[in-house]
Amino acid sequence: MQESTPLFKPLPGQFLALKLARLFTVCAGLAFGGAALAADAPQVLPQTLPQTLPQVSLKTTMGEIVLELNQEKAPKTVANFLQYVKNGHYKGTVFHRVIDGFMIQGGGMDAKMVTRKTAKPVKNEANNGLVNATYTLAMARTADPDSATSQFFINVADNTALDHPGRDGFGYTVFGKVVKGQEVVDKIKGVVVDDMQGQQNVPVVPIVIQSASVVKR
């Protein structure tokens, strides 16, 4: 019986080419499968660490108040405030205006009610989404919205009338909050006040800021 003749019979030199072709096909399949698995794998994204907000410690004759400053929402105001802290401006100043149910204000006068020299005013940043809620920190100013320098106040009530846009179209810039010493703020707001040297609502017993420093964390 005669053997059947194959449709294709490779020549001796072609065996190596066929083996290489099969090997290439297998490798390509493995590579494709690996790429598919990699595509299906969950993507691990780098984590963004939360920004540490600067804090300032005010040591007063009635206790310590720690303020946390929101430099993301009010960058110019925070930079302005920190400059006064670092150059020692607030040491020896007093809370010269205290109105229970409203706010306590300080940072501009010493115990003899002498106004301290200040740097140039900072631009109003009240339109930043922060509101004048209880225990928030804001900048004092005149009728000029861009007149804030060193004086600040701590709200002791929710003063929505001070929020942007306010009565003058601008409002008062909130740039931080009390994170420690709320009980000290509560003590200050309840002190006895009187009119002194042309100023109203001045504490009869001076409430002095003995030091102001950036908290190291």
Side-chain angles (χ1 to χ4, degrees):
M1 180 183 293
Q2 194 176 27
E3 292 183 359
S4 60
T5 304
L7 295 176
F8 171 71
K9 184 178 182 181
L11 298 174
Q14 293 177 308
F15 281 111
L16 179 60
L18 286 171
K19 290 182 178 180
L20 290 174
R22 291 192 186 100
L23 181 61
F24 174 79
T25 302
V26 172
C27 291
L30 290 173
F32 177 78
L37 288 173
D40 292 337
Q43 298 297 310
V44 179
L45 300 176
Q47 293 184 347
T48 302
L49 296 176
Q51 184 182 28
T52 301
L53 299 177
Q55 292 185 352
V56 168
S57 168
L58 300 181
K59 292 183 178 177
T60 80
T61 49
M62 294 193 73
E64 183 186 24
I65 301 170
V66 178
L67 308 168
E68 186 173 77
L69 312 180
N70 196 326
Q71 58 190 4
E72 179 184 354
K73 295 286 188 178
K76 294 178 182 177
T77 306
V78 169
N80 174 73
F81 184 77
L82 286 175
Q83 188 59 43
Y84 283 113
V85 170
K86 293 173 182 177
N87 68 21
H89 175 90
Y90 291 124
K91 184 177 181 179
T93 59
V94 297
F95 283 94
H96 65 273
R97 186 174 177 227
V98 171
I99 304 176
D100 195 0
F102 183 36
M103 56 91 233
I104 61 174
Q105 181 176 336
M109 300 179 182
D110 62 21
K112 295 181 179 180
M113 302 302 290
V114 176
T115 302
R116 292 195 171 176
K117 292 182 179 180
T118 62
K120 293 181 180 179
V122 64
K123 186 174 178 59
N124 188 294
E125 294 180 301
N127 188 18
N128 60 13
L130 300 178
V131 297
N132 286 273
T134 306
Y135 300 124
T136 57
L137 175 68
M139 290 303 295
R141 62 173 175 84
T142 67
D144 179 355
D146 298 324
S147 61
T149 54
S150 68
Q151 292 192 32
F152 61 88
F153 63 91
I154 297 172
N155 290 287
V156 298
D158 293 341
N159 296 314
T160 56
L162 303 181
D163 296 340
H164 175 84
R167 298 188 182 100
D168 59 2
F170 292 92
Y172 289 75
T173 303
V174 176
F175 66 102
K177 61 183 179 181
V178 177
V179 293
K180 180 182 177 183
Q182 289 92 341
E183 72 282 359
V184 177
V185 174
D186 291 342
K187 284 194 295 184
I188 294 173
K189 74 178 183 180
V191 300
V192 178
V193 298
D194 202 351
D195 297 345
M196 297 183 185
Q197 300 183 34
Q199 301 289 331
Q200 296 179 325
N201 305 111
V202 181
V204 173
V205 178
I207 304 164
V208 182
I209 297 175
Q210 298 168 315
S211 68
S213 59
V214 177
V215 177
K216 295 181 180 180
R217 292 189 290 168

